[in-house]
Each structure stands twice: as structure tokens, then as C-alpha cells.
Amino acid sequence: MDRVAILKNMIAPYRIPIYRGIGRHFETKVFFSGHESNRTEWNEVERALQPEVAVKKSCGTTISYPDIQGGSVYQHRYLHLTPGYLSDLASFQPDAILTNEMGVRSLLALLYGRIAGAPVWVWWGGTLHTERDIGLPRKIIRGFFRRVAQHWISYGETSTEYLEDIGVDKKNIVQIQNCVDERRFQGDSSPTLSPSVRPALLFVGQLIDRKGVIPLLRSTAELQRQGHEFSLHLVGDGKERASFKSLKNRLDLQHVHFHGTFAPQEMPGIYSSMDALVFPTLEDVWGLVVNEAVWSGLPVLGSIYAGCSRELLPPENIVDPRDHGDLVKGLKRAVEGDLRPPDTDRLWTHEEVVDRLVEEIHSELARN
């Protein structure tokens, strides 16, 4: 059986069914570099892959640093320095490699692939928006990857658009769709929460500036001043939680609740408790909570800055959260039940993603 190595910084829960699916067709081993403090719910996720897929933490370190914009912490970034990937690849001797992003990890994968004659796919999710301010050094690095990497996997339409913009030939791109395990969100789930005020709008995500919580709270205040009665429920945690709760108090918001983080297996019950999802992110390469909400039957008000919106949502359900008036109008539609209903036909199942990846790997190995 051919061997496939997967290189990741962290193993995300939503990737488990994909890796397991690949593991049904190849001897698969996932090498990861560590954990990040803002993703504590992802710790120990690697246990869920075993024994079907082998897992190993490669030798290296992770550095955290704040991304300051406008005088506040926009988000926390993490730099994974993991030289151990190279020795782990040499020990495993894979026939094919899947590696994420355009950084040191992928450079090591390409180096090994060149030496061992193994094809390497760079799995990429960035968009024209998320990569708009990367600076000259990163642009030079991206140009290098464009020249040396022969195989690419994109999250979806917006990621393919970015790769083509930097000069990657579309015929070298395998476009899939960033996905979740849809089986968890289909069927009836008992509601976890019992909102006392309806309609109940849901936000799911990290409590950091990048997720658009501040414009969401300000727009909520505007609608409440106009006399609209509804509740807003924020699920998630983050370093700005205290400041967001303080803003809620200063705006004198009513029926706005911070619920903290729930385990992944509890999220179907969260979605079934609500009437609509609001995803006002200022920057996201995708936004898997939109997938989850659509599979759960919730209408979604999405952001133009989310990589998934154009692919998964009708245009009238997409707003610019940096435009206060536009976000207020969108929230009003959500409160009044005027959002277009969810359309699962726009979504790929995890099995469709697995089949596309397996087909590509088999085809390339057969050519070799």
C-alpha cells in the first residue's frame, strides 16, 4: 500500500474524517508541530485519529505573538518552527505528501519530495483579502513556491482565485471545499440552550477583534434603539472577552449573552437552539461555522471577508461588517426572518472531498 504523509501545525477536529478517509486508501501518517493557546479545545484531538491513522508530534517549537492593529490586539499569530519534519519524513518514506500553507513546513516537504521523488501537494486556504497586506518578504516567498510547487489543493473558489493571482496554473490546482463532518449536523438534535427572547441570533467564534464582534455589538445596539426585540448569543472564548462584555454594558445591550466554549459534540444542539447564524468576520480564509449552520438548517448572515461566503451563501445574505449601515440592514433582515433559507446543495460532503483527494493522489502516483 502506498504511503501518504500529512504535515500540519495542529490537527483540527474538522479534518479528522478527511484524514481517516485518506487512511482507508493509503498507509497514512500525520506529523504535527504542536498546540496553540487559543485552540485549547483542539488539544488531544490527535487521539481521535488512532489507530486508523498514525500520528506523531515532530520536533520543534511554537512562538506566539500579537498582531496589533489600531492600537488593539486584532488577533494572535503563531509561528511553528519544526525542523523535525525532515527526519520524520526520511523515517516514514512516504510516496506522497500533503502539506499546509507556504512556510517552512512546506519548504521541508518540497525538499524531501525533490530528494525522494515523492509528489508534494501544498494545501492552501488564503484569499486575496486575507493576503492583502503580507509585505514584500512573504510575496517573494510566495513567488518561490509558485515556481517550485507542482501540485496544489485549494479550500475553494476564493483560494483558487488567490493562487491564480500569484501565477499558479489552474491545471495544477485541485479545488475542493473546506468541509465539516456533515453527519454530526444532520437529523434532529436536542436544543442545548433555551433562549427566552426570540428570534435568537447566534455568533460562533473566537472572541477577538478579527471576528467582527465589535461591529456586531454596535449594530445590535442600533437595532435595539430602533425598537427591535431579539436575543444575541455569543459562543466562544478569547483574549478580548472581558473588553467585549464591557462594551456590551456601555452600549446598554439587552438580551446579549456570552456562553463560553462548547465541545464539538455539543455544537449541533447549539445550532438547533437558534434561529439564525451571524458571521461578521473581518478576515477568515473560510469560516467552517457557516458549513455547520447550513447543515443544521439555519439561515446565515455572512461577511464579504469570509472565504466561504461567495461559495456557500446567496448574495443577499452577505454584508460588509465594516459598513455599519450594511451590517444593521443585514441584522434587521435576520431579526425579521427575511434571510434566504440555507441551501445544502452548495456544500460538499466530507466523502466527496476524500474521493477527490484520493483520486488525485492515485492518478499522480500512477503517472510516476
Side-chain angles (χ1 to χ4, degrees):
M1 181 180 285
D2 291 321
R3 295 182 174 185
V4 171
I6 300 173
L7 273 56
K8 282 284 296 180
N9 51 8
M10 297 181 67
I11 302 174
Y14 57 84
R15 288 281 189 247
I16 289 174
I18 305 300
Y19 297 162
R20 279 179 172 168
I22 294 172
R24 292 196 298 269
H25 298 268
F26 305 98
E27 182 182 345
T28 304
K29 192 165 187 175
V30 178
F31 300 99
F32 75 104
S33 57
H35 298 106
E36 298 175 358
S37 60
N38 65 332
R39 300 285 191 183
T40 55
E41 70 273 19
W42 290 9
N43 293 352
E44 306 300 323
V45 166
E46 55 269 18
R47 294 178 185 271
L49 282 171
Q50 300 166 322
E52 295 94 335
V53 175
V55 180
K56 183 179 187 298
K57 183 180 182 303
S58 296
C59 181
T61 187
T62 302
I63 301 171
S64 171
Y65 60 96
D67 178 1
I68 306 295
Q69 297 186 22
S72 62
V73 179
Y74 184 62
Q75 63 182 325
H76 280 264
R77 295 188 180 274
Y78 295 83
L79 177 63
H80 294 258
L81 301 174
T82 317
Y85 284 132
L86 200 55
S87 60
D88 287 335
L89 288 172
S91 177
F92 183 53
Q93 298 182 5
D95 299 288
I97 303 169
L98 309 183
T99 178
N100 279 251
E101 303 171 350
M102 294 187 238
V104 175
R105 169 177 51 252
S106 294
L107 287 174
L108 294 174
L110 288 166
L111 174 60
Y112 177 84
R114 180 64 62 88
I115 294 171
V120 177
W121 283 264
V122 179
W123 199 325
W124 177 256
T127 69
L128 290 172
H129 178 70
T130 63
E131 307 305 302
R132 67 198 182 282
D133 296 322
I134 59 174
L136 183 59
R138 285 190 180 182
K139 288 181 180 178
I140 293 172
I141 292 172
R142 303 287 160 81
F144 174 77
F145 270 97
R146 175 184 60 79
R147 291 190 297 273
V148 301
Q150 299 178 6
H151 308 285
W152 298 82
I153 301 168
S154 84
Y155 277 19
E157 293 175 6
T158 49
S159 298
T160 296
E161 180 181 54
Y162 175 78
L163 291 174
E164 288 188 276
D165 185 72
I166 66 172
V168 176
D169 193 325
K170 191 169 185 177
K171 72 176 188 299
N172 296 330
I173 303 171
V174 181
Q175 181 176 303
I176 56 170
Q177 189 183 86
N178 214 16
C179 69
V180 297
D181 187 347
E182 71 285 349
R183 297 168 298 183
R184 294 173 46 220
F185 303 97
Q186 294 174 316
D188 296 328
S189 297
S190 299
T192 303
L193 301 175
S194 301
S196 58
V197 176
R198 296 280 186 177
L201 305 185
L202 174 66
F203 166 92
V204 179
Q206 297 179 60
L207 297 184
I208 55 177
D209 283 357
R210 178 173 63 83
K211 292 295 186 176
V213 179
I214 291 176
L216 174 60
L217 294 178
R218 294 191 185 282
S219 297
T220 297
E222 176 68 24
L223 278 186
Q224 289 189 354
R225 285 194 293 268
Q226 294 177 13
H228 295 277
E229 187 171 16
F230 61 98
S231 59
L232 174 63
H233 301 261
L234 296 97
V235 170
D237 209 345
K239 296 182 182 296
E240 302 303 308
R241 178 188 176 109
S243 66
F244 293 158
K245 293 185 76 171
S246 177
L247 177 60
K248 167 200 163 182
N249 294 333
R250 293 198 304 274
L251 294 172
D252 193 28
L253 290 173
Q254 306 300 309
H255 315 304
V256 173
H257 308 279
F258 290 79
H259 294 283
T261 300
F262 289 83
Q265 62 269 24
E266 297 176 285
M267 289 308 299
I270 297 295
Y271 291 114
S272 68
S273 305
M274 300 295 159
D275 299 304
L277 175 78
V278 180
F279 188 57
T281 183
L282 305 180
E283 179 182 317
D284 256 284
V285 296
W286 187 257
L288 284 167
V289 295
V290 174
N291 299 59
E292 295 178 350
V294 173
W295 282 120
S296 299
L298 280 185
V300 176
L301 183 69
S303 164
I304 63 170
Y305 306 118
C308 71
S309 290
R310 191 172 75 196
E311 193 166 335
L312 301 187
L313 302 176
E316 53 267 48
N317 283 25
I318 303 172
V319 296
D320 182 352
R322 294 186 184 275
D323 182 331
H324 178 70
D326 196 32
L327 182 52
V328 169
K329 290 177 183 177
L331 277 179
K332 184 178 178 181
R333 293 198 300 274
V335 168
E336 294 179 345
D338 289 336
L339 293 178
R340 285 276 297 276
D343 181 6
T344 56
D345 287 343
R346 293 173 176 257
L347 299 172
W348 287 35
T349 67
H350 77 282
E351 288 290 356
E352 289 173 324
V353 172
V354 169
D355 289 346
R356 183 68 185 91
L357 293 174
V358 168
E359 176 188 21
E360 173 68 14
I361 296 169
H362 273 312
S363 295
E364 184 60 30
L365 292 180
R367 283 193 289 268
N368 288 349

